[in-house]
Amino acid sequence: MTSTDSRTPHSSKGVTPSEPRSDSGGRLAAGRIGTSDLVFFVVAAAAPLTVLAGVAPFAIGIGGAGAPLAYLVSGVLLVLFAAGFTAMSQYVRNAGAFYAYVAHGLGRVLGVGTAYVAVVSYNLITPGVAAAFGYFAADSVHDATGTDIPWWMLSGVCVAAVGVLGWLKVTLSAKVLGVALVLEVLSLLVMDAGILGDRGTAALDPASFDPSTLATGGVAGMFVLVIGAFTGFEATAIYAEEARDPRRTVSRATFIAIGFLAVFYAAGCWLIMGAFGTERAVDLAGAAAGPDLTFSAAELHVGAWLADTMHGLIIVSAFAATLAFHNAAARYLYALGREGLLPRRLGTVSGRHGSPGGAVVAQSAFNLLLIAVGALLAADPYSEVFLWTNSIGVLGIMAMQALAALAVWAYFRRDRRGMSAARVVWSPLLACAGLAVLTVLAVVHFDLLTGRTGAVNAVLLVPLPLVLIAGFAVALRIRHREPERYASLTTVDVERDV
């Protein structure tokens, strides 16, 4: 592997062949993932039904009438981020997207630190969502049959199924996620149609899009919840090594995913409020009825059958999100194993399926371990296992997004490679500023993510800075002892502008 400066990509001919290929030595199968597959991966990871049923009511209760506008504003911020993010994806194609971008823009030491943060973030989110699956599934089984099945047993089934799908060809996962996503979206569209059919234009309160609604006291906390609802969209770049025509596929999928999520969340949140009237919806969301606000809207304006269907589909939504984050987490493990920043075995690939086999097994084992620990400690699967692990993960991803945006600016600052200043200078700088502010707000309002205060939050915040420092130490050790290896870190699948 040719040694290069962190900001100067080397030529890598044949990185994106037209035919799929893989080998057991460490290369993922290229050319298998198209734009629609990528969209399914990232939108399913965002779990629209879980967001609109489980998060939006809390955002409404905290931030009031401006919640729909907050989703749109967040979408605009992430479009600015995506402008530079996708520009860099044309030159740096690596399954460890965030860390590779930071390494090439801001230096390898910070890049390796970011790599360890990425591994912790994505690998914590996955078992957390699997725990949520067990929680929802156990409730549904009890309601339907009266039988009590431990949540951890159902979560274990989820992890096993996800592990099998992760081992097989990545296109199979895309098909499963596509079906799950269509079902989620259809149920929410039926609810929206029912609300409009019953209330007409009375359900469309223009006050929700008045900028003055964002001047309320709870707006900071609301944005912490809202921006977290987009988590997963950035995974488009993780699959760049496996994408068909990645220069176009990654960019298209990223903008489609952000645009869809922003509009879908804003419209869904707006109509959920319109189902009751804005003021009453805010009151209900801030009261004990808040968590059931979306299901109540579906039952009130369509029927109990839709509410029951949505209760069932939220299990599907949790499974889809688990699968999507499992695939992303496995690819980070694979990328770091390939670089030797984690055990090399993680960088092995299934010769038959072209999937990161070693990482899939390790990630699945970690999921089972965390769920087992939750069960042994008698932890609540939703309010503790899910919320706590996902709070750490979402915070880590937000911080990495801010760093990646700054890395894009740094990467293109001397040579824009024919791209506009708006795309590779101003957009990433604005995105970095916005994401940095939101990251700080997430730390300040961490209780909104975890549902806890005091010592619990302090303990949960510790892992991210610790692994960042550990990454610095590893990078500095490699730079001192193995300068040639250090110079080649993150240069896999980097192309020179031609």
Side-chain angles (χ1 to χ4, degrees):
M1 189 175 296
T2 304
S3 299
T4 64
D5 180 76
S6 65
R7 293 180 178 82
T8 307
H10 72 283
S11 179
S12 182
K13 294 180 181 179
V15 167
T16 56
S18 58
E19 295 298 323
R21 60 175 173 80
S22 66
D23 61 67
S24 60
R27 300 288 294 177
L28 297 172
R32 282 184 171 164
I33 301 178
T35 300
S36 60
D37 297 326
L38 270 180
V39 171
F40 289 148
F41 274 122
V42 299
V43 177
L49 178 57
T50 302
V51 168
L52 286 176
V55 179
F58 292 103
I60 293 169
I62 294 170
L69 179 58
Y71 281 107
L72 290 182
V73 171
S74 296
V76 171
L77 174 63
L78 294 177
V79 164
L80 291 175
F81 170 80
F85 188 66
T86 56
M88 195 161 179
S89 73
Q90 297 181 24
Y91 302 96
V92 180
R93 300 171 194 170
N94 192 301
F98 276 147
Y99 104 85
Y101 289 12
V102 173
H104 282 272
L106 301 175
R108 291 183 176 89
V109 172
L110 184 55
V112 174
T114 303
Y116 282 56
V117 172
V119 166
V120 169
S121 299
Y122 282 102
N123 279 275
L124 280 178
I125 289 178
T126 309
V129 181
F133 171 90
Y135 170 81
F136 294 133
D139 272 359
S140 293
V141 170
H142 177 78
D143 291 343
T145 67
T147 304
D148 289 321
I149 299 179
W151 69 268
W152 53 265
M153 188 177 296
L154 295 170
S155 294
V157 172
C158 173
V159 168
V162 162
V164 171
L165 288 169
W167 178 273
L168 299 174
K169 291 180 180 179
V170 71
T171 49
L172 178 59
S173 291
K175 290 181 173 65
V176 172
L177 292 172
V179 172
L181 180 61
V182 168
L183 293 174
E184 286 185 61
V185 170
L186 280 177
S187 69
L188 290 165
L189 289 177
V190 170
M191 179 191 72
D192 292 346
I195 294 170
L196 284 172
D198 271 2
R199 289 182 51 81
T201 56
L204 306 175
D205 185 357
S208 288
F209 297 97
D210 184 342
S212 66
T213 59
L214 299 182
T216 61
V219 67
M222 176 180 65
F223 268 105
V224 170
L225 294 175
V226 167
I227 198 72
F230 291 83
T231 300
F233 84 88
E234 72 289 336
T236 50
I238 294 174
Y239 298 97
E241 292 182 42
E242 301 163 86
R244 293 193 296 270
D245 191 9
R247 281 180 176 267
R248 296 178 180 174
T249 301
V250 171
S251 181
R252 288 174 181 170
T254 304
F255 285 110
I256 290 172
I258 295 172
F260 172 81
L261 289 172
V263 173
F264 194 74
Y265 287 157
C269 184
W270 192 27
L271 286 168
I272 289 167
M273 294 170 67
F276 306 96
T278 301
E279 291 185 7
R280 183 161 179 252
V282 172
D283 291 339
L284 288 171
D292 293 320
L293 193 67
T294 302
F295 299 117
S296 297
E299 182 171 358
L300 178 64
H301 294 286
V302 179
W305 69 267
L306 180 60
D308 291 340
T309 299
M310 291 170 70
H311 272 109
L313 286 176
I314 204 167
I315 302 172
V316 177
S317 177
F319 179 84
T322 304
L323 176 57
F325 277 110
H326 165 82
N327 282 332
R331 279 154 179 79
Y332 264 105
L333 289 174
Y334 157 79
L336 270 64
R338 179 175 61 186
E339 298 276 9
L341 298 173
L342 288 176
R344 291 279 185 184
R345 186 165 181 78
L346 295 174
T348 59
V349 172
S350 165
R352 181 176 180 183
H353 302 293
S355 61
V360 166
V361 172
Q363 217 283 318
S364 298
F366 176 76
N367 292 344
L368 290 173
L369 175 63
L370 195 146
I371 288 168
V373 169
L376 290 172
L377 295 177
D380 183 87
Y382 189 87
S383 64
E384 294 176 342
V385 181
F386 170 68
L387 288 184
W388 293 4
T389 57
N390 277 248
S391 297
I392 300 170
V394 168
L395 178 61
I397 290 173
M398 287 172 60
M400 288 189 295
Q401 287 173 347
L403 280 175
L406 185 61
V408 171
W409 167 79
Y411 184 80
F412 287 103
R413 72 178 180 207
R414 293 179 182 173
D415 181 2
R416 299 207 306 263
R417 293 167 168 80
M419 297 190 186
S420 68
R423 182 174 185 182
V424 297
V425 177
W426 299 113
S427 288
L429 285 177
L430 289 171
C432 176
L435 289 164
V437 169
L438 288 173
T439 301
V440 172
L441 289 177
V443 173
V444 173
H445 296 279
F446 201 55
D447 57 305
L448 294 178
L449 297 175
T450 64
R452 294 292 190 276
T453 57
V456 170
N457 284 343
V459 171
L460 292 175
L461 285 169
V462 166
L464 294 178
L466 280 183
V467 296
L468 180 67
I469 293 170
F472 291 166
V474 169
L476 290 172
R477 180 183 62 80
I478 294 173
R479 187 172 70 179
H480 177 67
R481 297 183 180 179
E482 305 174 79
E484 290 187 4
R485 179 186 165 204
Y486 177 80
S488 69
L489 288 176
T490 74
T491 57
V492 175
D493 288 336
V494 181
E495 292 192 341
R496 190 183 299 278
D497 191 16
V498 295

